[in-house]
């Protein structure tokens, strides 16, 4: 995201954008990739609510949140692009508040990867996760990425 200091992420979080909704998709490749044609769209605030449930010392992935929403709604899958955007909005909205914090740093990308799009980037997320007892490892030589080591052992079940 760009110009984060000029955006009201809490207003974005409250804008449900005509969601929740289920859309039927017809693209054969997408149906095969996601395992069905019923695609769920969750509003931004729903991501924030789930992220707030993750306790200290635990982590969750965006994929797990998507699976949870799909199961809850009776859809085949939750739309992945808006999921990533709305998780970032929840993180930035929390960073703009002085109270009612959302522990955004506990929500990871696939395979336990840290999210560079969060407030303060990977450095801030790493510091917060390490303060909660997680070990962060670096992978790659040119395309350096960071992961929670053995994140599977700390997953929060919804």
């Amino acid at each position: 995201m760009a110009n984060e200091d000029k955006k009201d992420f809490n207003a974005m979080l409250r804008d449900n954008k005509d969601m929740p909704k289920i859309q039927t998709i017809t693209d054969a490749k997408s149906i095969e990739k996601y395992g069905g044609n019923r695609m769920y769209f969750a509003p931004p605030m729903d991501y924030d609510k789930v992220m707030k449930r993750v306790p200290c010392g635990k982590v969750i992935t965006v994929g797990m949140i998507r699976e949870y929403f799909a199961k809850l709604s009776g859809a085949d899958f939750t739309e992945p692009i808006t999921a990533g955007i709305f998780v970032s909005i929840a993180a930035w909205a929390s960073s703009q508040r002085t109270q009612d914090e959302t522990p955004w740093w506990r929500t990871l990308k696939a395979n336990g990867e840290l999210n560079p799009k969060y407030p303060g980037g990977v450095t801030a997320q790493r510091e917060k996760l390490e303060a909660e007892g997680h070990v962060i490892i670096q992978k790659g030589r040119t395309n350096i990425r960071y992961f929670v080591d053995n994140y599977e052992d700390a997953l929060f079940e919804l």
Side-chain angles (χ1 to χ4, degrees):
M1 291 189 191
N3 299 315
E4 285 83 359
D5 57 330
K6 295 180 174 81
K7 296 178 182 175
D8 183 351
F9 287 97
N10 285 286
M12 291 182 204
L13 193 63
R14 291 185 300 271
D15 182 0
N16 71 11
K17 303 181 185 328
D18 298 322
M19 297 176 204
K21 67 180 176 184
I22 292 179
Q23 182 175 333
T24 302
I25 61 168
T26 57
D27 176 59
K29 287 184 179 180
S30 294
I31 292 169
E32 183 178 338
K33 179 178 181 178
Y34 295 113
N37 68 345
R38 291 175 45 82
M39 179 170 61
Y40 181 69
F41 290 83
M45 188 60 81
D46 285 6
Y47 288 91
D48 189 68
K49 288 175 183 173
V50 169
M51 292 166 71
K52 282 182 175 169
R53 293 175 49 189
V54 182
C56 182
K58 294 289 187 179
V59 293
I60 195 166
T61 67
V62 176
M64 291 172 65
I65 296 172
R66 289 181 52 233
E67 288 172 14
Y68 172 74
F69 286 149
K71 183 178 178 181
L72 214 60
S73 68
D76 296 313
F77 67 100
T78 301
E79 201 283 325
I81 304 299
T82 57
I85 293 168
F86 293 168
V87 163
S88 289
I89 287 173
W92 282 95
S94 179
S95 74
Q96 290 180 341
R97 294 191 298 266
T98 56
Q99 55 189 354
D100 191 31
E101 182 176 53
T102 299
W104 49 266
W105 56 92
R106 298 177 189 151
T107 301
L108 308 172
K109 294 173 65 175
N111 302 314
E113 185 177 356
L114 276 58
N115 192 337
K117 294 182 180 178
Y118 283 162
V122 169
T123 303
Q125 187 178 18
R126 178 182 188 152
E127 288 172 1
K128 289 179 174 288
L129 288 167
E130 287 177 338
E132 294 184 357
H134 298 286
V135 175
I136 308 302
I137 57 172
Q138 175 182 320
K139 293 184 181 179
R141 294 178 195 262
T142 54
N143 182 23
I144 298 171
R145 296 169 21 199
Y146 297 90
F147 297 81
V148 173
D149 193 29
N150 298 315
Y151 78 98
E152 300 95 336
D153 298 336
L155 288 174
F156 175 70
E157 293 296 324
L158 290 169

